[in-house]
């Protein structure tokens, strides 16, 4: 009988070498790049990859499109921050508590919401996230309400009396984010090539057919949600400790849930590296819009005149139009790249190979 996490398919030596080279370069990145803004962007990309890959386990491989994953992100963020700020529990222990809390919540939510299918499940997931957001706003004695929680000091990490880091720079957060990304990608790879992953994909393709073959829909859907929620809470904990401030409108917002889904849609749903591609597209785009870098570049290059109506729009409104840009981007991807950027690249490469032959 094949084990639940069985043997994996062979991977080409070239792919392995390329992957190892990328990992080595990422580990060396902070040694050669001292720009704090570049490190900041990389940390945000790592957090986005963790979020997207976590959602991908449920939405991409199991076919359960949740638009409420901000609940688990916020669960990790709030648990870690409350323990650190109010109980002086260091974040590397609070993260585990956040993961445990997300697991319990996911099991409760899954036992209720997985009675629904399709758009009804999507609406239920949105409702769950909104319940958590409103609760965090109103439970002021617990979560500090709309004022949020601000970190005053992160305790230094010591092992056996030896100081490992005092978190005074962005480098520790960079390496923590990179380690979490590698962990999530490894879990996704193991899952995709395992018996458990085949069960997930069978449920995604046809739930009734999977049930007729003896696959327990409730059990495996809850397994996918639990794993997805735990890893999403990991991203929330890292974000909270890194930024040092959280509130309901930041870590429990609906647009955060939508952004998590967009990472996978743009990159490629149901693939290992789709969320990586999606994060590499969305995070720089978001930062460029926030800092109005796109508008300034168009004006400085002379493509758009600063005193024109369009130039004024770019200067005054583009930094607030990220939702509009996201919407346009999703429409373009759905129309021209239904399998995401990664799927489009693979199809283009296959077409080129056929032309060569």
């Amino acid at each position: 009988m094949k084990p639940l996490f069985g043997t994996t398919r062979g991977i080409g030596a070239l792919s392995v070498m390329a992957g190892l080279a990328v990992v080595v370069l990422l580990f060396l990145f902070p040694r050669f790049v001292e720009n704090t803004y570049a490190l900041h962007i990389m940390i945000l990309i790592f957090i986005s990859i963790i979020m997207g890959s976590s959602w991908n386990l449920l939405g991409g491989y199991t076919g359960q499109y949740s638009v409420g994953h901000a609940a688990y992100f916020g669960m990790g963020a709030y648990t870690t921050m409350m323990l650190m700020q109010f109980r002086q529990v260091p974040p590397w222990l609070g993260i585990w508590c956040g993961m445990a809390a997300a697991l319990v919540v996911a099991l409760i939510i899954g036992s209720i919401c997985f009675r629904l299918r399709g758009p009804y499940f999507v609406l239920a997931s949105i409702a769950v996230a909104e319940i958590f957001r409103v609760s965090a706003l109103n439970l002021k004695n617990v979560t500090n309400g709309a004022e949020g929680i601000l970190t005053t000091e992160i305790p230094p990490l010591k092992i056996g009396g030896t100081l490992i880091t005092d978190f005074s720079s962005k480098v520790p957060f960079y390496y923590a984010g990179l380690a979490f990304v590698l962990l999530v990608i490894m879990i996704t790879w193991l899952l995709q090539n395992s018996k458990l992953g085949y069960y997930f994909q069978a449920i995604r393709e046809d739930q009734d057919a999977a049930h007729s073959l003896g696959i327990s829909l409730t059990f495996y859907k809850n397994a996918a949600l639990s794993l997805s929620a735990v890893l999403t809470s990991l991203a929330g904990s890292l974000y909270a400790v890194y930024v040092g401030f959280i509130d309901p409108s930041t870590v429990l917002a609906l647009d955060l849930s939508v952004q998590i889904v967009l990472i996978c849609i743009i990159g490629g749903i149901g693939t290992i590296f789709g969320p990586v591609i999606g994060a590499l597209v969305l995070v720089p785009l978001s930062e460029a819009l926030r800092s109005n870098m796109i508008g300034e570049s168009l004006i400085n290059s002379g493509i758009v005149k600063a005193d024109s109506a369009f130039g004024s729009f770019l200067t005054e409104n583009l930094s607030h139009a990220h939702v509009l840009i996201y919407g346009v981007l999703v429409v373009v991807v759905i129309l021209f790249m239904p399998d995401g950027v990664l799927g489009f690249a693979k199809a283009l490469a296959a077409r080129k190979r056929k032309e060569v032959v």
Side-chain angles (χ1 to χ4, degrees), residues 5-262:
F5 281 98
T7 57
T8 57
R9 299 176 204 152
I11 300 179
L14 185 60
S15 299
V16 173
M17 292 176 63
L20 289 175
V22 171
V23 172
V24 170
L25 289 174
L26 288 173
F27 268 102
L28 295 176
F29 184 81
R31 295 181 178 272
F32 297 99
V33 179
E34 297 180 355
N35 186 293
T36 56
Y37 184 69
L39 290 176
H40 171 70
I41 295 297
M42 291 301 296
I43 293 169
L44 293 182
I45 289 175
F46 290 156
I47 293 173
S48 295
I49 292 173
I50 299 168
M51 291 191 300
S53 297
S54 302
W55 182 91
N56 199 34
L57 297 176
L58 179 67
Y61 287 98
T62 318
Q64 308 304 303
Y65 292 158
S66 166
V67 191
H69 260 50
Y72 311 113
F73 185 90
M75 181 64 64
Y78 266 101
T79 302
T80 304
M81 287 288 279
M82 287 191 298
L83 288 174
M84 182 171 63
Q85 196 65 19
F86 304 145
R87 293 291 183 267
Q88 289 72 52
V89 177
W92 50 91
L93 297 180
I95 285 176
W96 291 98
C97 297
M99 293 167 68
L103 175 61
V104 172
V105 169
L107 290 174
I108 295 173
I109 292 174
S111 64
I112 299 171
C113 294
F114 280 134
R115 299 176 185 181
L116 305 171
R117 292 190 183 185
Y120 303 104
F121 173 76
V122 174
L123 292 174
S125 67
I126 295 174
V128 167
E130 283 299 291
I131 289 172
F132 275 88
R133 185 185 67 82
V134 174
S135 298
L137 275 172
N138 290 280
L139 296 174
K140 296 182 179 180
N141 294 333
V142 179
T143 64
N144 215 27
E147 295 179 10
I149 302 174
L150 176 66
T151 301
T152 55
E153 183 181 1
I154 302 175
L157 174 60
K158 295 181 179 180
I159 298 179
T162 303
L163 178 65
I164 304 301
T165 180
D166 58 0
F167 298 99
S168 59
S169 69
K170 296 182 183 296
V171 175
F173 298 103
Y174 175 92
Y175 283 119
L178 178 57
F180 292 159
V181 165
L182 295 177
L183 173 65
V184 173
I185 290 177
M186 179 60 68
I187 290 174
T188 305
W189 180 71
L190 290 172
L191 180 75
Q192 179 174 287
N193 299 283
S194 69
K195 187 175 181 179
L196 180 62
Y198 297 148
Y199 284 168
F200 286 175
Q201 294 171 65
I203 293 172
R204 177 191 65 192
E205 297 303 325
D206 193 324
Q207 295 191 42
D208 295 326
H211 181 65
S212 68
L213 293 174
I215 298 175
S216 174
L217 300 183
T218 302
F219 176 81
Y220 287 107
K221 284 181 183 180
N222 276 289
L225 176 61
S226 299
L227 183 58
S228 178
V230 166
L231 295 177
T232 302
S233 74
L234 190 65
S237 297
L238 176 61
Y239 174 85
V241 178
Y242 170 62
V243 174
F245 173 77
I246 59 171
D247 68 342
S249 63
T250 304
V251 298
L252 289 167
L254 178 60
D255 60 346
L256 174 62
S257 295
V258 173
Q259 184 178 350
I260 293 174
V261 179
L262 287 182

Side-chain angles (χ1 to χ4, degrees), residues 296-308:
E296 291 178 357
S297 298
L298 292 174
I299 292 173
N300 293 335
S301 62
I303 298 175
V304 178
K305 293 183 178 180
D307 56 354
S308 66

